[in-house]
Amino acid sequence: MGGEPVPIGRRVAYLRVRRRLSQQSFADRLGKSKSWVDKVERGVRSLERVSTIRDVAAVLRVDVAALIGRDVQPAGVTEHGAGVARIRAALSAYPMAFGSPAGRELLSADRLAREVRQVWMTYQYARYPRLVELLPAVVTEVHRAHVQGSEVGRAAVVEVYRVTAALLVKLGEGSLAWLAADRAVSAAAGDRVLLGCAAVQLGQVLRASARARLVMLAAADQIVTDTPEGLSLRGSLLVQAALIAARAGDDRAAGDLLDEAAVLAARVGDGHDHCWTAFGPTAVELARGSLPPWRWATGRRRSLGTRRRSVGTGGGGCRSSTGPRI
């Protein structure tokens, strides 16, 4: 991300909310006071001891690298070479074009949905080594399901490509991450909400491309479902556009986009994970931490007067992590 690094206290607050822990329950698990947690999250108290950081990461069920910084590669990245090679091999298979091997029974729709959910949960708990092990087989299975032409198979393909791209970004495999994100977009073509889901990871991969901001905004404009899922997806795309703007040095545009995302986040609330976005007020505030303090401290909503979005019914469908297709 551009700008200043996000303070660790803000990351702790974000991850705690995602785990649906109150400050008191979080403090109890750490053996600390609620006041201690509050001071850490507000930046009044610093986290300096390695042992304390490890304890906090363990309670939040994340890798220490995920706690220290989102763009820090997880520990042991250099050990994942063989696993990344297996992921590359799985992505290099083209059953959609050449057919699926005979003699193998397809997974049921329910089983496939559980597999997709498992890999997303593994990613969100920052269990990257485990995810490296799981993904090749899951990619292969969703490919085979997609050959049958079912909508369930199609949604699963998009979601697995998304999580694959997200993991590969973490592992510093930019080119392969781009391939997975591009595959997600291609598989989602024709479905506005699935396309929006895929665009979230595309923005993550294309963070260094200033033109990608326009792609994120165009995708956001296609999401017209006024539901928690639709609002989360639009908001996540605005956040991606803001981070791309910040990376390009356009802090004012980034701040305006985050102001707009904050309005949507207030309607969604925290503690949800619609369409695997983890979007909510805390996610927006975490993104604000990448901007210079003078910009996000103003709390302006100027962008709302210049960028109006239509909200109605209809749209495509993505597989929500917390509910049915939308």
Side-chain angles (χ1 to χ4, degrees):
M1 290 183 291
E4 298 298 319
V6 179
I8 190 172
R10 194 177 293 273
R11 294 183 191 282
V12 170
Y14 170 72
L15 292 166
R16 175 182 61 77
V17 171
R18 280 186 59 177
R19 299 295 176 261
R20 301 185 182 183
L21 294 172
S22 66
Q23 284 190 334
Q24 186 62 64
S25 60
F26 182 49
D28 291 343
R29 296 187 186 192
L30 285 171
K32 303 286 187 180
S33 67
K34 180 181 177 181
S35 174
W36 183 90
V37 171
D38 181 65
K39 289 178 180 178
V40 166
E41 294 185 349
R42 290 188 293 113
V44 176
R45 187 184 187 106
S46 62
L47 283 177
E48 297 177 346
R49 296 180 60 181
V50 174
S51 59
T52 303
I53 292 174
R54 286 176 177 168
D55 289 343
V56 170
V59 172
L60 293 173
R61 293 180 290 176
V62 298
D63 189 279
V64 171
L67 180 63
I68 294 175
R70 298 174 74 180
D71 297 327
V72 177
Q73 290 188 344
V77 163
T78 57
E79 302 172 3
H80 298 325
V84 170
R86 288 193 294 272
I87 294 173
R88 181 181 287 106
L91 290 173
S92 298
Y94 292 89
M96 287 83 82
F98 302 111
S100 181
R104 291 183 56 194
E105 183 178 352
L106 291 174
L107 294 182
S108 68
D110 289 342
R111 173 70 183 280
L112 191 59
R114 289 197 299 271
E115 295 284 340
V116 172
R117 179 176 177 79
Q118 181 184 12
V119 292
W120 265 117
M121 295 296 290
T122 303
Y123 172 77
Q124 292 186 334
Y125 287 145
R127 296 168 182 163
Y128 304 125
R130 176 58 177 159
L131 185 54
V132 168
E133 295 176 5
L134 291 173
L135 269 178
V138 179
V139 168
T140 299
E141 290 301 331
V142 296
H143 277 170
R144 296 179 66 239
H146 192 46
V147 171
Q148 306 303 311
S150 70
E151 283 300 305
V152 172
R154 182 187 188 201
V157 168
V158 173
E159 294 302 330
V160 170
Y161 279 146
R162 286 181 64 199
V163 71
T164 300
L167 172 67
L168 291 169
V169 167
K170 291 287 186 182
L171 299 183
E173 297 285 341
S175 296
L176 200 55
W178 156 248
L179 172 63
D182 186 59
R183 291 274 191 87
V185 171
S186 296
D191 186 312
R192 289 181 295 182
V193 180
L194 271 181
L195 193 58
C197 289
V200 172
Q201 266 59 55
L202 186 65
Q204 187 180 13
V205 172
L206 297 181
R207 189 69 54 79
S209 172
R211 293 188 64 184
R213 187 199 317 181
L214 300 178
V215 177
M216 298 301 103
L217 296 178
D221 284 333
Q222 295 297 309
I223 310 301
V224 295
T225 52
D226 190 15
T227 63
E229 290 82 3
L231 295 172
S232 296
L233 204 46
R234 287 213 313 276
S236 295
L237 289 164
L238 291 176
V239 169
Q240 289 296 331
L243 295 175
I244 292 168
R247 182 73 172 265
D250 192 346
D251 295 325
R252 185 172 298 279
D256 287 344
L257 288 165
L258 288 175
D259 284 347
E260 188 171 353
V263 175
L264 302 180
R267 296 177 63 184
V268 174
D270 271 324
H272 305 290
D273 199 10
H274 301 297
C275 289
W276 303 108
T277 59
F279 180 74
T282 303
V284 175
E285 291 308 306
L286 180 65
R288 286 193 194 279
S290 67
L291 303 180
W294 69 266
R295 185 63 187 88
W296 60 258
T298 61
R300 290 186 292 173
R301 298 291 181 267
R302 186 168 55 82
S303 64
L304 295 181
T306 57
R307 287 198 75 253
R308 296 287 182 180
R309 297 191 179 280
S310 61
V311 178
T313 59
C318 77
R319 178 65 60 182
S320 170
S321 61
T322 55
R325 289 170 61 86
I326 58 175

